[in-house]
Amino acid sequence: MKIIRTSVGLNHWFNEHNIQINKSLGLVPTMGALHQGHASLIEKASKECDLVVVSILVNPTQFNEKDDLDAYPRTMAADVEIAKAAGCNVIFAPTAEDLYGGKPKAEPVNWGDLTHSFEGKCRPGHFDGVIAVVDKLFDAIKPDKAYFGAKDLQQVAVVQKMAQIRYPNIEIVSCELIRDSKGLALSSRNIRLTNQGVKQALKLSFALSKVVEKISAGESEKTAVDAARNELKEYDEIDLEYFNGVNFHTFSHEDKPFEWSHIVVAANVDGVRLIDNIELEVVD
Ligand code: AMP
């Protein structure tokens, strides 16, 4: 496995090996602090593509709070091992200045609710930064396929729209959300949780699966979601931002419960911002 730290170095490597002509290329964009969730994306990419590039960059333009950016874990040595074991061929780990070709900045993008509701509302400018960095990565790497986790559900929808408009030849692959054995959605931020925080955080995934159970048992979507939201609001340790049904294609509050495809949640637990979601089973 090769580690490349500059866009120029990446270009040289591509040209030297005629990569973009002869091989199918899979890209897995990450911010590092890799865990089994990332590994599952890399494994899928390596099954489907000749070569896999994993990008590692803590992208400053997608953070709306400087403290959050500063506190984001950076674990390059361990990342190299995880990426290698999962089948990565190249780690591309540029500085933000290198990738952006100067001071990192993001143009505002407004695709209505898709970019401005839920995560877009709670983290103003977040998707501008996501779109900016993915655009730079797609332009530099020109992958055939790019892999994104359903853990960041709204991000998948935003990137799919962005690819449709700007990179119609790149296939966006949405990958399954990976949890630990107790149900906690794996996240690079989890290492900042105390043991107590982990217990509280588990209430989020528990609430999501309980809603699915209740709906399967015949309860209405709205009743089940409202009850779970009210219950989560009762916990002092959980600072709930949202707990809602959404349609993956719109992320609009206007969608009716029968149009919901997922339940999404965001909360601050133990000073750590966590998101999670669950897919609703389609009932015939
Ligand atoms: P991040 O490093 O957090 O920006 O994540 C990089 C990619 O890994 C994104 O596409 C995430 O959605 C994905 N990812 C992160 N955590 C998980 C998880 N628990 N399951 C599946 N994909 C994940």
Side-chain angles (χ1 to χ4, degrees), residues 109-230:
V109 178
N110 188 342
W111 290 329
D113 289 320
L114 203 56
T115 48
H116 282 69
S117 67
F118 296 98
E119 285 304 282
K121 184 163 186 208
C122 296
R123 305 181 70 189
H126 171 65
F127 288 122
D128 300 339
V130 169
I131 291 166
V133 76
V134 173
D135 194 327
K136 297 283 177 198
L137 289 168
F138 282 5
D139 188 46
I141 297 166
K142 299 185 177 58
D144 298 285
K145 294 184 173 198
Y147 295 79
F148 292 84
K151 156 81 167 38
D152 297 273
L153 191 70
Q154 196 170 357
Q155 172 171 278
V156 177
V158 167
V159 170
Q160 277 181 350
K161 174 150 182 140
M162 181 272 215
Q164 251 172 33
I165 297 170
R166 302 186 193 169
Y167 297 90
N169 295 328
I170 300 178
E171 183 186 339
I172 306 303
V173 183
S174 173
C175 306
E176 186 195 347
L177 190 164
I178 306 296
R179 302 178 179 282
D180 73 6
S181 57
K182 292 199 172 134
L184 182 65
L186 295 185
S187 162
S188 304
R189 295 168 194 268
N190 290 355
I191 50 179
R192 288 166 48 204
L193 290 169
T194 60
N195 289 344
Q196 199 48 36
V198 170
K199 277 194 195 136
Q200 300 302 330
L202 278 167
K203 295 197 168 100
L204 304 180
S205 54
F206 184 75
L208 290 171
S209 38
K210 193 140 170 229
V211 167
V212 169
E213 244 172 61
K214 283 183 172 179
I215 295 172
S216 307
E219 194 164 312
S220 88
E221 285 91 344
K222 185 168 174 352
T223 310
V225 166
D226 287 350
R229 183 191 307 112
N230 289 336

